[in-house]
Amino acid sequence: MKFIAVANQKGGVGKTTTAVNLAAALAEAGQPTLLLDLDPQANATSGLGLAPEAGGSIYRAMIGERPVQQQIRPTAHERLSIIPSELDLVGCEIEIASLDQPQHQLRQVLQPLHEQRTFDYLIMDCPPSLGILMTNSLVAADGLLIPVQSEFYALEGISKILDLTQRLREQGLNPGLQLVGVLLTMFDARTRLSQQVMTELQQHLPDQVFNTIIPRSIRLGEAPSFGQSILQYDPHGVGAHSYRQLAAEFTARLQ
Ligand SMILES: Nc1ncnc2c1ncn2[C@@H]1O[C@H](COP(=O)(O)OP(=O)(O)OP(=O)(O)O)[C@@H](O)[C@H]1O
Ligand SMILES: [Mg+2]
């Protein structure tokens, strides 16, 4: 089982859209997948049509009240399960901070999933900050996927998360953490800016930018308000197509 963090401390770059639809596409392709919503905003949870419920997040497991398996819920997709989020998760940051090794908590909590082998992938949707939840996710992860919006300052944002990743490796907190890839999102082929960002990214991070590019699409933006992944909402559209393509490239990269 591979643990993947979908992270970028910058807000609104397509993390949740990518976590939800990549997870749905992996499941559709036959791979049992677990989505972990680590953002108190609970966008991945509501985006898959679940209502956040008190006590339903990873928080209870993080403070040792419940085994992680008890927090797993089914979704409308075959082979796709979720550990939802809810506002409680805010408290997690505070509570975890007082532990001996606060950065290790999630890794320990998730350990039984590794051993159980029910799922092929765990996809973690991180909140937009370099806080303790994101650090926990990066310490627990085998791989990191960074969504980047095709706009100015895209590179600046990436260097911050890459620095953090490097620090975690050097401090021995997660020496094996692999960058699976950088994903261009909300790409608009008609604008020069999108093209510029793509060229710049490919120059700075050769071989690390996914060939798959996620276009800007109204349908992708609409799907969450219906509580559906793009594979349900518009299964034959360009958004569904690009996330299926991403799932294939992602799987190939991890092999
Ligand atoms: N390819 C796309 N085309 C059109 N709209 C998109 C696309 N990807 C994401 N969006 C929309 O852009 C907004 C931000 O996307 P999303 O919530 O995935 O970003 P995020 O990085 O998770 O944000 P946050 O940092 O707040 O968690 C959402 O309204 C989403 O529906
Ligand atoms: Mg989000």
Side-chain angles (χ1 to χ4, degrees), residues 13 36 70 96 120 135 154 157 162 170 175 187 194 207 210 225 234:
V13 296
L36 169 54
Q70 253 184 46
I96 300 298
D120 288 352
T135 312
L162 289 178
E170 285 165 7
F187 190 83
S194 274
D207 303 326
F210 281 104
S225 54
D234 185 24

Side-chain angles (χ1 to χ4, degrees), residues 10-17 39 41 128 186 214-217 220-221:
K10 207 160 183 295
V13 296
K15 293 181 290 294
T16 301
T17 304
D39 187 345
Q41 294 180 98
M186 301 182 225
I214 309 299
R216 183 172 283 286
S217 126
L220 272 173

